[in-house]
Amino acid sequence: MPASRDKTTAIGHIYGIINFQCGIRLLRFPAIPEDIEPSDIRRKEAGLFIAWANDGHESFYTYSWLHARTKRQFSQESTSFYLSLKQRHTYVSRLEHWSCSIAENPPRLHYEAVMKSDEGVKEWTSLIRKWGFCFVDECPVTEKATQELLERIAFIRHTHYGGFWQFTSNLAIKDSAYTQLALAAHTDTTYFTDPVGLHSFHLLSHTDGEGGSSLLVDGFSAAQVLRMESPESFDALCRIKVRWHSSGNEGVNIMPDRSFPVLTLEESQPGQEAKVSQVRWNNDDRAAIHADDPKEVAQFYAAARKWVEILRRPSSQYWHQLRPGRFVGSQHGRLYISVENIAFLKGTNLGQRMKFCIKHPTLVVVPLNEEHTLDEH
């Protein structure tokens, strides 16, 4: 097969017949003879026509399709279905790290832009991808409208908290979120093998009440600071795996199928610096560190102390006031969150995964000292 004017590339017969795209793939590879040979090959202007000797099956391959699937090209170019390793890194490089200065111009969209067109949804998810969060302003202040906004991205997925669920600070579930305790910046569902992807808040009512102050911290930016200031701490949080768990309620003891480090790195090409693709940190969900080498345990706690110090820096923290009509969605696995003095919340999980997200828990929030009435659905 001609790869260029002065180069040729070989693709095996068995590869060609197995991967031929002819609508629904009805050909099962165990039935294909290992010594399959073409009975006829003809070069056309746009590609190759091949008739196969074993059963007369006819295939047509465009040159662009064949070139994209060579080892040399596949590491450099994407196909119509997949991103190559290089392009995944190009995609990740579009992320923008931020600090407290983002308060001057945070990413935001209007509710109608998201609801009226798929282009609006594309812009919304692109902003979440780029910055890790995005406000949607002028959202109707109802549960129904909030749920409809969420479902512009994906359907609701149930967890042990339910579907579109609610909770108050009454310890009905033994979780620190069900108290009036101030929570440190954290990620949720560290105890899931596949943690949620998008955390969202919508304050439904706030007249004479207090509370609703919300904190966002860019975990990817914090990880980069850690990498520069303390490479050994960065290495420890990437290398040493932690047992995460959710327990305390009768009949509930959730753990992932394996231990995970605080910082997970993207797959990288040789010679390139691996980027952080996911952060997990919730001190309330962390089990004891188990390591054969006591030095490794000490390394982890020293690194964790440095990590928390970076998260607590004023320069790392963006505080904003939740208000009725302003919906905020943040990319979990990147953004650390905290909400102060919240008495009543409703939420949900969305269950679809896109290129950069998306399995999301969502919270609808009413603050302390606030009389509230909620729609029944």
Side-chain angles (χ1 to χ4, degrees):
M1 183 194 75
S4 65
R5 291 184 177 181
D6 58 350
K7 295 181 180 179
T8 60
T9 300
I11 293 181
H13 297 150
I14 193 74
Y15 179 92
I17 188 64
I18 287 176
N19 292 285
F20 175 57
Q21 304 295 309
C22 53
I24 299 175
R25 186 176 291 174
L26 300 176
L27 194 60
R28 299 293 182 251
F29 74 85
I32 302 172
E34 292 185 9
D35 59 350
I36 187 172
E37 294 282 347
S39 60
D40 186 21
I41 302 177
R42 278 175 274 166
R43 286 192 60 183
K44 302 290 186 179
E45 183 177 351
L48 289 179
F49 167 84
I50 299 178
W52 299 97
N54 65 312
D55 61 359
H57 186 84
E58 296 180 348
S59 305
F60 183 81
Y61 309 89
T62 64
Y63 294 129
S64 60
W65 187 92
L66 291 167
H67 289 162
R69 282 154 181 80
T70 65
K71 184 176 181 180
R72 178 173 60 255
Q73 292 294 331
F74 194 72
S75 65
Q76 300 174 0
E77 302 174 5
S78 68
T79 69
S80 58
F81 297 102
Y82 305 106
L83 291 174
S84 71
L85 185 59
K86 180 179 180 180
Q87 289 209 330
R88 286 202 300 273
H89 273 274
T90 300
Y91 196 65
V92 169
S93 69
R94 297 173 187 169
L95 302 179
E96 295 285 347
H97 293 176
W98 52 263
S99 64
C100 62
S101 62
I102 200 169
E104 299 171 4
N105 186 28
R108 53 184 176 263
L109 283 176
H110 194 278
Y111 171 82
E112 292 297 330
V114 177
M115 298 303 293
K116 284 187 174 180
S117 73
D118 290 342
E119 282 299 312
V121 177
K122 177 182 177 181
E123 185 177 2
W124 183 24
T125 54
S126 295
L127 286 171
I128 294 173
R129 168 63 183 176
K130 181 177 182 179
W131 300 103
F133 75 101
C134 181
F135 294 115
V136 177
D137 287 330
E138 306 303 325
C139 177
V141 188
T142 67
E143 295 176 54
K144 183 175 184 295
T146 303
Q147 183 172 341
E148 289 173 348
L149 175 62
L150 293 166
E151 289 175 342
R152 290 292 287 150
I153 297 180
F155 55 84
I156 291 175
R157 178 174 69 97
H158 284 244
T159 69
H160 60 303
Y161 289 111
F164 200 61
W165 37 265
Q166 66 185 45
F167 62 88
T168 65
S169 54
N170 59 5
L171 266 181
I173 294 180
K174 294 176 182 177
D175 188 298
S176 53
Y178 286 73
T179 72
Q180 296 183 22
L181 296 173
L183 303 180
H186 64 281
T187 58
D188 284 327
T189 62
T190 56
Y191 42 78
F192 284 176
T193 301
D194 184 15
V196 295
L198 182 69
H199 239 343
S200 303
F201 292 87
H202 188 195
L203 186 63
L204 290 185
S205 177
H206 195 283
T207 52
D208 298 323
E210 298 177 357
S213 183
S214 182
L215 169 66
L216 296 175
V217 178
D218 186 352
F220 288 0
S221 178
Q224 188 61 24
V225 172
L226 181 69
R227 190 177 220 160
M228 293 186 297
E229 293 186 2
S230 180
E232 65 280 3
S233 295
F234 180 86
D235 174 71
L237 295 189
C238 291
R239 173 173 47 84
I240 301 173
K241 296 180 179 180
V242 181
R243 296 169 59 205
W244 308 96
H245 68 95
S246 175
S247 59
N249 295 285
E250 185 176 354
V252 176
N253 187 4
I254 302 173
M255 299 181 67
D257 62 4
R258 60 189 183 278
S259 298
F260 289 91
V262 173
L263 304 177
T264 299
L265 299 178
E266 275 271 347
E267 184 181 3
S268 63
Q269 297 187 96
Q272 286 194 347
E273 183 179 81
K275 299 179 183 295
V276 175
S277 62
Q278 183 184 65
V279 291
R280 295 182 190 233
W281 181 259
N282 190 336
N283 197 55
D284 295 340
D285 296 335
R286 180 178 55 80
I289 301 296
H290 287 261
D292 294 332
D293 185 355
K295 292 182 180 179
E296 195 170 73
V297 177
Q299 289 170 1
F300 173 84
Y301 286 112
R305 185 177 294 108
K306 176 66 175 179
W307 176 243
V308 171
E309 185 270 321
I310 292 172
L311 295 179
R312 290 178 175 175
R313 292 177 185 176
S315 59
S316 299
Q317 299 185 341
Y318 168 37
W319 284 95
H320 64 98
Q321 178 65 40
L322 297 173
R323 66 173 188 260
R326 167 164 274 197
F327 177 98
V328 56
S330 61
Q331 184 183 346
H332 212 24
R334 172 179 178 179
L335 267 286
Y336 285 72
I337 62 169
S338 178
V339 181
E340 287 190 344
N341 298 331
I342 296 299
F344 194 96
L345 302 91
K346 289 186 70 71
T348 188
N349 293 317
L350 305 187
Q352 180 178 330
R353 177 166 292 277
M354 299 172 69
K355 282 184 179 177
F356 63 86
C357 294
I358 288 178
K359 287 194 179 173
H360 337 262
T362 303
L363 303 179
V364 182
V365 183
V366 177
L368 281 175
N369 304 323
E370 182 67 41
E371 293 183 0
H372 51 264
T373 59
L374 297 174
D375 300 337
E376 296 294 331
H377 297 288

